Each structure stands twice: as C-alpha cells, then as structure tokens.
Amino acid sequence: MRRITRSLAFLLALIVFFPLAFTVSAQDEETVQKKSKVKDDLEFAMILARHRFFDLANEFTAEIKKGHMTTEDEATLLLANAQILTWAAEYSTGRSERGEFYTQALERFKEFIDYHTDHPDYNKARIDMAVLYQNHGMFLSEEIQLTG
C-alpha cells in the first residue's frame, strides 16, 4: 500500500510540475532571444560607428532604447552610446560638433558610472571616461589657442 501511495504521489508531482518546467523554460528562452536581439542590434550600431556613420549609429541606439530592455541591456546600451559618441568626437571634422560629442559622451559615461556600479565593465568605463576627459581637455586647449 505504501508503495502505491508513493507511486501515486510521484505521478501527481510529475503531472503538476512537468508543465511548469516548460513554462519557465519558454520564458527563459524568450528572455535569451530578447537579450541576443539587443546584443545583435548594439553590435550593428557599433559597426556603423566604426565606419564613421555616427548619426545612423545614434539613431539606431535610440530605436533600440524604445524597445523592452532589462537593466543590464540598458547599461550596455548606455555604455555603447558613450563609446559611439567618443568616436564621433575623435573623428568629426567640425569643431563645434566635436565639442558637443565630447560633452554628450561624458554625460553618458557619468550616467553609466553613477547608476551601474555592479556592471562588469564599470572599471573600464571609468578608465575610458578619464581618457575622454584628457582628450576633451586637449581639445579645449586647442580651442583657446585658436581663438586667443
């Protein structure tokens, strides 16, 4: 009798928990697909920026931001946007544009550093921001020499 009771309890547990396992698995798979979509989109935006299509890369990241994202995705997007703006500042030919890109990139890095202290790229972002401050300072020094 005990053996039959244990078998029935096992079957009942199997019937109850088996569908739950697939539900959780489907939700996890959907999350993974969304993450890979955001990651793929960011990779495409970075490729655009590397080929100096900064406006398109910024527009593309703005579109990515409109979709549903996790906190980690938002942090990664913010960091990618900071990098795109950094490249834009370094490679733009217009001096006023360069100044604006420097300012925007520094704002993105500051926002990332202020709100995402547990992100794996936190220390790298701090170093990148320090380098960006140095480059921005040299740019401002050139501006002073050109106008003075």
Side-chain angles (χ1 to χ4, degrees), residues 44-58 83-84 86-93 97 101:
F44 180 69
M46 297 300 277
I47 290 170
L48 286 171
R50 281 189 204 109
H51 290 285
R52 299 183 184 177
F53 294 107
F54 305 118
D55 291 338
L56 286 174
N58 282 325
Q83 183 61 55
I84 290 168
T86 299
W87 290 335
E90 291 173 358
Y91 294 111
S92 290
T93 55
E97 285 179 335
F101 286 136

Side-chain angles (χ1 to χ4, degrees), residues 31-32 34-39 42 64-65 67-81 111-112 115-122:
T31 303
V32 167
K34 284 181 182 176
K35 278 187 177 181
S36 65
K37 171 92 170 100
V38 170
K39 184 179 176 184
L42 281 176
I64 295 169
K65 192 173 186 175
H68 174 72
M69 294 189 311
T70 64
T71 304
E72 184 179 336
D73 289 338
E74 290 175 5
T76 305
L77 175 64
L78 191 59
L79 194 56
N81 194 248
E111 184 178 348
F112 177 85
Y115 296 107
H116 302 286
T117 57
D118 58 341
H119 194 275
D121 291 329
Y122 176 77

Side-chain angles (χ1 to χ4, degrees), residues 15-147:
I15 290 169
V16 170
F17 293 114
F18 190 70
L20 289 176
F22 282 109
T23 304
V24 170
S25 177
Q27 289 172 350
D28 289 344
E29 186 175 319
E30 185 178 327
T31 303
V32 167
Q33 287 176 349
K34 284 181 182 176
K35 278 187 177 181
S36 65
K37 171 92 170 100
V38 170
K39 184 179 176 184
D40 289 346
D41 288 349
L42 281 176
E43 190 174 315
F44 180 69
M46 297 300 277
I47 290 170
L48 286 171
R50 281 189 204 109
H51 290 285
R52 299 183 184 177
F53 294 107
F54 305 118
D55 291 338
L56 286 174
N58 282 325
E59 287 176 24
F60 200 73
T61 57
E63 287 298 315
I64 295 169
K65 192 173 186 175
K66 290 179 184 176
H68 174 72
M69 294 189 311
T70 64
T71 304
E72 184 179 336
D73 289 338
E74 290 175 5
T76 305
L77 175 64
L78 191 59
L79 194 56
N81 194 248
Q83 183 61 55
I84 290 168
L85 290 165
T86 299
W87 290 335
E90 291 173 358
Y91 294 111
S92 290
T93 55
R95 298 201 65 79
S96 63
E97 285 179 335
R98 285 182 70 191
E100 289 177 34
F101 286 136
Y102 275 123
T103 303
Q104 290 174 10
L106 288 168
E107 288 171 359
R108 298 305 185 287
F109 274 121
K110 183 169 178 7
E111 184 178 348
F112 177 85
I113 289 168
D114 288 347
Y115 296 107
H116 302 286
T117 57
D118 58 341
H119 194 275
D121 291 329
Y122 176 77
N123 287 328
K124 182 185 179 313
R126 290 181 61 194
I127 292 168
D128 290 346
M129 185 175 179
V131 170
L132 186 61
Y133 268 120
Q134 180 182 10
N135 292 344
H136 188 219
M138 290 189 312
F139 169 76
L140 292 174
S141 177
E142 291 172 7
E143 283 291 298
I144 290 170
Q145 290 175 357
L146 288 173
T147 58

